[in-house]
Amino acid sequence: MAQSRRAYYKELKKVIDASDVILQVLDARDPEGCRSHEIELTAQKSGKKVVQVLNKIDLVPPQNARAWQRHLRGEFPVVLFKATQQTQSSNLSSGVTLHKKSLVENAALVGKITSLSGAVGTENLLNILKNYARTSKDSKDKQVITVGVVGFPNVGKSSLINSMKRSKAAATGNQPGVTKVMQEIQLDKNIVLLDSPGVILSTNDQTNSLILR
Ligand SMILES: Nc1nc2c(ncn2[C@@H]2O[C@H](COP(=O)(O)OP(=O)(O)OP(=O)(O)O)[C@@H](O)[C@H]2O)c(=O)[nH]1
Ligand SMILES: [Mg+2]
């Protein structure tokens, strides 16, 4: 376990180093608890932009999500997000024509299925990234930016990437540790997303130095 932990740190460091923009994915149920101030500071110190994404907003009351958004907005752009989940439900909603009677009788279930399909926040996020791509200084005429997607295990980094890409480009799962190595996904001609393994950074963790220095 310690071995894989170390390997995950190395992959995370690779992602941070290679990125112009860091997307920190936070679980809307406990955004402060899964925030890494170290990553934010390191990124900002080296001139990288940081964007906070409050993911899984379908699991909290809307007013909570908005309160967290207001709290973080003083420092960072914040996007409220719900990723598409690659379960049978999303297949169902795309592939099955439901009988009118069953729609009425199973209203709750149908509601659940339709709420599972379709992501929320992709447009917003894309606009922010496109804006950075347009104004990026390093890449002059090419205006290509690399966006590192980082965050605690299981917060939905890979699901977010798939929702942005509108396909299953990155493996996801309901267990932490699904993503093990850095993965590059071309979103469009200007934006490259980097998926990273989830790593929990605590302030008194010695291994932090691996990432930050
Ligand atoms: N309800 C809900 N579930 C989500 C959302 N986004 C992701 N999930 C679920 O959360 C779990 C983890 O998603 P992943 O995308 O694999 O998370 P990850 O951050 O890439 O995880 P690691 O690669 O293991 O660090 C999966 O079961 C997803 O279906 C969301 O917006 N809402
Ligand atoms: Mg992942």
Side-chain angles (χ1 to χ4, degrees):
M1 192 58 205
Q3 275 254 301
S4 65
R5 201 171 146 76
R6 190 165 282 258
Y8 287 4
Y9 273 110
K10 280 176 88 175
E11 291 301 308
L12 175 60
K13 178 165 169 49
K14 262 203 249 171
V15 168
I16 295 175
D17 287 348
S19 301
D20 308 301
V21 178
I22 301 291
L23 282 193
Q24 180 165 237
V25 183
L26 304 171
D27 188 321
R29 292 169 294 183
D30 183 16
E32 203 59 53
C34 54
R35 229 179 120 179
S36 166
H37 295 273
E38 286 90 342
I39 290 186
E40 293 166 9
L41 283 171
T42 319
Q44 287 174 324
K45 260 190 229 155
S46 42
K48 299 169 198 279
K49 312 278 187 200
V50 177
V51 178
Q52 308 281 9
V53 179
L54 280 178
N55 189 36
K56 308 197 184 185
I57 54 162
D58 54 313
L59 301 181
V60 299
Q63 60 268 32
N64 290 28
R66 280 194 288 270
W68 278 112
Q69 186 180 32
R70 279 195 300 275
H71 171 72
L72 292 165
R73 199 149 53 186
E75 277 182 90
F76 308 96
V78 184
V79 181
L80 299 184
F81 206 90
K82 188 195 94 176
T84 332
Q85 289 151 77
Q86 273 106 8
T87 58
Q88 295 96 313
S89 319
S90 51
N91 299 335
L92 256 185
S93 55
S94 58
V96 172
T97 332
L98 288 164
H99 192 272
K100 203 174 175 187
K101 186 162 165 256
S102 68
L103 276 175
V104 175
E105 284 175 359
N106 302 300
L109 179 66
V110 172
K112 213 171 162 190
I113 291 169
T114 38
S115 75
L116 277 177
S117 67
V120 175
T122 48
E123 286 285 289
N124 256 345
L125 185 53
L126 193 61
N127 284 339
I128 292 177
L129 297 181
K130 279 185 171 161
N131 217 19
Y132 284 146
R134 226 174 339 228
T135 56
S136 83
K137 287 192 202 92
D138 322 329
S139 41
K140 285 173 200 111
D141 33 6
K142 272 169 79 196
Q143 299 183 318
V144 175
I145 53 161
T146 303
V147 180
V149 183
V150 306
F152 269 35
N154 220 37
V155 292
K157 299 174 293 298
S158 302
S159 300
L160 174 140
I161 290 173
N162 291 339
S163 304
M164 296 299 289
K165 183 80 184 162
R166 294 171 197 274
S167 70
K168 184 149 187 169
T172 64
N174 58 5
Q175 303 268 321
V178 173
T179 307
K180 295 185 170 61
V181 293
M182 176 168 102
Q183 195 190 342
E184 197 176 296
I185 291 120
Q186 184 95 34
L187 189 57
D188 65 14
K189 63 183 192 326
N190 303 112
I191 302 168
V192 175
L193 297 177
L194 297 179
D195 198 3
S196 71
V199 175
I200 297 173
L201 288 173
S202 67
T203 331
N204 48 16
D205 191 333
Q206 294 298 314
T207 344
N208 277 1
S209 55
L210 253 179
I211 294 193
L212 304 172
R213 271 155 231 118

